Amino acid sequence: MAFILGENSGGSYTVSDYVDEPELIVDEIVSIVQDAAIENVFYSDDGETTASAIIFKQRVSPFLSESPHEVAEFEEIPTADIRVGDDKVEKAFKIAEGLRVSYEMIKDNRIDLLSRGVEQLANEFLYASARQGLDRVKAATDEHSQVVSASTPWSIVTAEIGQDVLRACAMVSSALVDGDVDDERKAALGYTPDTIVMHPSVWYNIIGNKTIQAAFIGANSGDNPYFKGFQPYKPWGLDVAVSQYVDPKQVFVLQAKKPGGKKFLDRPQVTPLYSPYGDSSIGGATMEYRADIMERSIRALYDPKAVARIQVG
């Protein structure tokens, strides 16, 4: 991402300004990470918790154990049990990292280095968060056989990309409960795929694909994403989410925010700049200041079949 320190806060500051007004650095880092996490597509925000671990049950059926009955006059209304899966446990995970600002950076006003450091700190945080979320999703698609192998690598311009995507959509929309059911019409979990997630390089493979381009010949040429770019094109009726933190060989098709949820013990927090080894006019014994970012959270996959993975290369 392109980033210049000070743009988000509407001002132009020196490195010394960030030391004298330590809260400024907080706003800069938070502005990058608050909405940029790709895992937010897969996980709903389930609020805060004080527990260091949670026990949850994955969704096994959208129906109760019994269907409604015809009830005679004065007959007691029957009840049915809630169908639930086995207990699963997820523990809290903490990610944290700090950024150091030296006395020399302040004295020489190396705002370029501070800008670069803030951007890299935010990127490291986003990458760690993405890995925690996406690695769980990948493992779940393997466990539940929610994987489509591309008929041809998508980097080849003649690949049947649309067919691969539609196969993944069908896999999500036709996902079935585990085990036997008394009525096949109740076997479907009822997901509706609405989003496709990929690495930016894969998106460019899509819009350059010959089969995709053939759909824009003639009357539709003005809507061709080859010229218009990412938006507002919605291939196969799906919202497109791209992130450099997605494996370029993997594409995910899902019902957004349905596969899982994320609970926070501590939402992302950024400290103001402070001197870690004594407070003095030159930054303490090591002549430095630092800012830290941390988060403690728990990720749980309640509906693992609400997502399918396409191996595209």
PDB file of all heavy atoms in Angstrom, residues 1 30-40 122-123 126 130 242-243 245:
ATOM      1  N   MET A   1       0.834  -1.189   0.000  1.00  0.00           N
ATOM      2  CA  MET A   1       0.000   0.000   0.000  1.00  0.00           C
ATOM      3  C   MET A   1       0.875   1.248   0.000  1.00  0.00           C
ATOM      4  O   MET A   1       1.958   1.253   0.562  1.00  0.00           O
ATOM      5  CB  MET A   1      -0.932   0.006   1.226  1.00  0.00           C
ATOM      6  CG  MET A   1      -0.196   0.188   2.539  1.00  0.00           C
ATOM      7  SD  MET A   1      -1.298   0.272   3.972  1.00  0.00           S
ATOM      8  CE  MET A   1      -1.892  -1.407   4.069  1.00  0.00           C
ATOM      9  N   VAL A  30      -3.843   3.129  13.632  1.00  0.00           N
ATOM     10  CA  VAL A  30      -5.223   2.638  13.686  1.00  0.00           C
ATOM     11  C   VAL A  30      -5.933   2.867  12.362  1.00  0.00           C
ATOM     12  O   VAL A  30      -6.727   2.036  11.904  1.00  0.00           O
ATOM     13  CB  VAL A  30      -5.991   3.298  14.849  1.00  0.00           C
ATOM     14  CG1 VAL A  30      -7.481   2.997  14.754  1.00  0.00           C
ATOM     15  CG2 VAL A  30      -5.442   2.818  16.180  1.00  0.00           C
ATOM     16  N   SER A  31      -5.639   3.993  11.693  1.00  0.00           N
ATOM     17  CA  SER A  31      -6.300   4.299  10.424  1.00  0.00           C
ATOM     18  C   SER A  31      -5.979   3.265   9.352  1.00  0.00           C
ATOM     19  O   SER A  31      -6.767   3.056   8.425  1.00  0.00           O
ATOM     20  CB  SER A  31      -5.887   5.692   9.936  1.00  0.00           C
ATOM     21  OG  SER A  31      -4.527   5.731   9.546  1.00  0.00           O
ATOM     22  N   ILE A  32      -4.835   2.604   9.472  1.00  0.00           N
ATOM     23  CA  ILE A  32      -4.458   1.578   8.495  1.00  0.00           C
ATOM     24  C   ILE A  32      -5.121   0.246   8.812  1.00  0.00           C
ATOM     25  O   ILE A  32      -5.666  -0.422   7.925  1.00  0.00           O
ATOM     26  CB  ILE A  32      -2.933   1.392   8.456  1.00  0.00           C
ATOM     27  CG1 ILE A  32      -2.225   2.706   8.123  1.00  0.00           C
ATOM     28  CG2 ILE A  32      -2.556   0.322   7.436  1.00  0.00           C
ATOM     29  CD1 ILE A  32      -0.706   2.623   8.196  1.00  0.00           C
ATOM     30  N   VAL A  33      -5.095  -0.166  10.067  1.00  0.00           N
ATOM     31  CA  VAL A  33      -5.477  -1.541  10.399  1.00  0.00           C
ATOM     32  C   VAL A  33      -6.957  -1.729  10.696  1.00  0.00           C
ATOM     33  O   VAL A  33      -7.452  -2.858  10.627  1.00  0.00           O
ATOM     34  CB  VAL A  33      -4.658  -2.056  11.614  1.00  0.00           C
ATOM     35  CG1 VAL A  33      -3.176  -1.956  11.339  1.00  0.00           C
ATOM     36  CG2 VAL A  33      -5.015  -1.313  12.894  1.00  0.00           C
ATOM     37  N   GLN A  34      -7.696  -0.661  10.991  1.00  0.00           N
ATOM     38  CA  GLN A  34      -9.042  -0.852  11.523  1.00  0.00           C
ATOM     39  C   GLN A  34      -9.995  -1.510  10.533  1.00  0.00           C
ATOM     40  O   GLN A  34     -10.869  -2.298  10.921  1.00  0.00           O
ATOM     41  CB  GLN A  34      -9.619   0.482  12.012  1.00  0.00           C
ATOM     42  CG  GLN A  34      -9.769   1.545  10.946  1.00  0.00           C
ATOM     43  CD  GLN A  34     -10.263   2.864  11.522  1.00  0.00           C
ATOM     44  OE1 GLN A  34     -10.583   2.952  12.706  1.00  0.00           O
ATOM     45  NE2 GLN A  34     -10.346   3.888  10.687  1.00  0.00           N
ATOM     46  N   ASP A  35      -9.877  -1.225   9.239  1.00  0.00           N
ATOM     47  CA  ASP A  35     -10.815  -1.782   8.263  1.00  0.00           C
ATOM     48  C   ASP A  35     -10.144  -2.616   7.187  1.00  0.00           C
ATOM     49  O   ASP A  35     -10.796  -3.028   6.231  1.00  0.00           O
ATOM     50  CB  ASP A  35     -11.602  -0.648   7.594  1.00  0.00           C
ATOM     51  CG  ASP A  35     -12.472   0.123   8.575  1.00  0.00           C
ATOM     52  OD1 ASP A  35     -13.111  -0.533   9.424  1.00  0.00           O
ATOM     53  OD2 ASP A  35     -12.502   1.358   8.499  1.00  0.00           O
ATOM     54  N   ALA A  36      -8.846  -2.861   7.314  1.00  0.00           N
ATOM     55  CA  ALA A  36      -8.116  -3.494   6.227  1.00  0.00           C
ATOM     56  C   ALA A  36      -7.949  -5.005   6.386  1.00  0.00           C
ATOM     57  O   ALA A  36      -7.444  -5.652   5.482  1.00  0.00           O
ATOM     58  CB  ALA A  36      -6.728  -2.849   6.092  1.00  0.00           C
ATOM     59  N   ALA A  37      -8.375  -5.583   7.483  1.00  0.00           N
ATOM     60  CA  ALA A  37      -8.146  -7.005   7.729  1.00  0.00           C
ATOM     61  C   ALA A  37      -9.032  -7.859   6.826  1.00  0.00           C
ATOM     62  O   ALA A  37     -10.259  -7.813   6.927  1.00  0.00           O
ATOM     63  CB  ALA A  37      -8.401  -7.334   9.197  1.00  0.00           C
ATOM     64  N   ILE A  38      -8.417  -8.658   5.961  1.00  0.00           N
ATOM     65  CA  ILE A  38      -9.170  -9.483   5.019  1.00  0.00           C
ATOM     66  C   ILE A  38      -9.977 -10.550   5.747  1.00  0.00           C
ATOM     67  O   ILE A  38     -11.016 -11.008   5.251  1.00  0.00           O
ATOM     68  CB  ILE A  38      -8.220 -10.130   3.988  1.00  0.00           C
ATOM     69  CG1 ILE A  38      -9.014 -10.820   2.867  1.00  0.00           C
ATOM     70  CG2 ILE A  38      -7.267 -11.112   4.662  1.00  0.00           C
ATOM     71  CD1 ILE A  38      -9.860  -9.886   2.043  1.00  0.00           C
ATOM     72  N   GLU A  39      -9.546 -10.953   6.947  1.00  0.00           N
ATOM     73  CA  GLU A  39     -10.285 -11.992   7.655  1.00  0.00           C
ATOM     74  C   GLU A  39     -11.678 -11.530   8.058  1.00  0.00           C
ATOM     75  O   GLU A  39     -12.550 -12.360   8.349  1.00  0.00           O
ATOM     76  CB  GLU A  39      -9.509 -12.464   8.884  1.00  0.00           C
ATOM     77  CG  GLU A  39      -9.345 -11.427   9.971  1.00  0.00           C
ATOM     78  CD  GLU A  39      -8.811 -12.035  11.265  1.00  0.00           C
ATOM     79  OE1 GLU A  39      -8.927 -13.255  11.440  1.00  0.00           O
ATOM     80  OE2 GLU A  39      -8.299 -11.284  12.082  1.00  0.00           O
ATOM     81  N   ASN A  40     -11.932 -10.212   8.042  1.00  0.00           N
ATOM     82  CA  ASN A  40     -13.264  -9.715   8.370  1.00  0.00           C
ATOM     83  C   ASN A  40     -14.313 -10.181   7.372  1.00  0.00           C
ATOM     84  O   ASN A  40     -15.515 -10.135   7.664  1.00  0.00           O
ATOM     85  CB  ASN A  40     -13.267  -8.184   8.433  1.00  0.00           C
ATOM     86  CG  ASN A  40     -12.457  -7.645   9.596  1.00  0.00           C
ATOM     87  OD1 ASN A  40     -12.150  -8.386  10.534  1.00  0.00           O
ATOM     88  ND2 ASN A  40     -12.094  -6.372   9.543  1.00  0.00           N
ATOM     89  N   ALA A 122       2.089  -1.812  10.536  1.00  0.00           N
ATOM     90  CA  ALA A 122       0.682  -2.117  10.246  1.00  0.00           C
ATOM     91  C   ALA A 122       0.561  -3.337   9.340  1.00  0.00           C
ATOM     92  O   ALA A 122      -0.296  -4.209   9.554  1.00  0.00           O
ATOM     93  CB  ALA A 122       0.010  -0.904   9.603  1.00  0.00           C
ATOM     94  N   ASN A 123       1.432  -3.434   8.336  1.00  0.00           N
ATOM     95  CA  ASN A 123       1.386  -4.575   7.426  1.00  0.00           C
ATOM     96  C   ASN A 123       1.708  -5.883   8.140  1.00  0.00           C
ATOM     97  O   ASN A 123       1.092  -6.923   7.874  1.00  0.00           O
ATOM     98  CB  ASN A 123       2.354  -4.367   6.264  1.00  0.00           C
ATOM     99  CG  ASN A 123       1.852  -3.354   5.256  1.00  0.00           C
ATOM    100  OD1 ASN A 123       0.660  -3.040   5.227  1.00  0.00           O
ATOM    101  ND2 ASN A 123       2.739  -2.837   4.433  1.00  0.00           N
ATOM    102  N   LEU A 126      -1.385  -6.842  10.082  1.00  0.00           N
ATOM    103  CA  LEU A 126      -2.440  -7.347   9.207  1.00  0.00           C
ATOM    104  C   LEU A 126      -2.102  -8.735   8.676  1.00  0.00           C
ATOM    105  O   LEU A 126      -2.973  -9.595   8.547  1.00  0.00           O
ATOM    106  CB  LEU A 126      -2.661  -6.380   8.041  1.00  0.00           C
ATOM    107  CG  LEU A 126      -3.310  -5.041   8.407  1.00  0.00           C
ATOM    108  CD1 LEU A 126      -3.257  -4.084   7.222  1.00  0.00           C
ATOM    109  CD2 LEU A 126      -4.759  -5.244   8.852  1.00  0.00           C
ATOM    110  N   ALA A 130      -4.262 -12.044   9.284  1.00  0.00           N
ATOM    111  CA  ALA A 130      -4.765 -12.804   8.144  1.00  0.00           C
ATOM    112  C   ALA A 130      -4.367 -14.265   8.220  1.00  0.00           C
ATOM    113  O   ALA A 130      -5.167 -15.162   7.922  1.00  0.00           O
ATOM    114  CB  ALA A 130      -4.266 -12.187   6.836  1.00  0.00           C
ATOM    115  N   VAL A 242     -10.045  -8.507  -2.482  1.00  0.00           N
ATOM    116  CA  VAL A 242      -8.665  -8.871  -2.813  1.00  0.00           C
ATOM    117  C   VAL A 242      -7.741  -8.469  -1.671  1.00  0.00           C
ATOM    118  O   VAL A 242      -7.978  -7.474  -0.984  1.00  0.00           O
ATOM    119  CB  VAL A 242      -8.196  -8.207  -4.128  1.00  0.00           C
ATOM    120  CG1 VAL A 242      -9.024  -8.689  -5.294  1.00  0.00           C
ATOM    121  CG2 VAL A 242      -8.250  -6.688  -4.034  1.00  0.00           C
ATOM    122  N   SER A 243      -6.713  -9.257  -1.489  1.00  0.00           N
ATOM    123  CA  SER A 243      -5.733  -8.963  -0.445  1.00  0.00           C
ATOM    124  C   SER A 243      -4.414  -9.621  -0.800  1.00  0.00           C
ATOM    125  O   SER A 243      -4.383 -10.774  -1.265  1.00  0.00           O
ATOM    126  CB  SER A 243      -6.201  -9.466   0.918  1.00  0.00           C
ATOM    127  OG  SER A 243      -5.158  -9.362   1.882  1.00  0.00           O
ATOM    128  N   TYR A 245      -2.486 -10.746   1.222  1.00  0.00           N
ATOM    129  CA  TYR A 245      -2.209 -11.770   2.220  1.00  0.00           C
ATOM    130  C   TYR A 245      -2.890 -13.095   1.922  1.00  0.00           C
ATOM    131  O   TYR A 245      -2.759 -14.058   2.687  1.00  0.00           O
ATOM    132  CB  TYR A 245      -2.629 -11.258   3.602  1.00  0.00           C
ATOM    133  CG  TYR A 245      -1.989  -9.937   3.958  1.00  0.00           C
ATOM    134  CD1 TYR A 245      -2.751  -8.838   4.315  1.00  0.00           C
ATOM    135  CD2 TYR A 245      -0.608  -9.781   3.886  1.00  0.00           C
ATOM    136  CE1 TYR A 245      -2.162  -7.608   4.611  1.00  0.00           C
ATOM    137  CE2 TYR A 245      -0.007  -8.567   4.180  1.00  0.00           C
ATOM    138  CZ  TYR A 245      -0.799  -7.487   4.542  1.00  0.00           C
ATOM    139  OH  TYR A 245      -0.205  -6.278   4.831  1.00  0.00           O
TER     140      TYR A 245
END
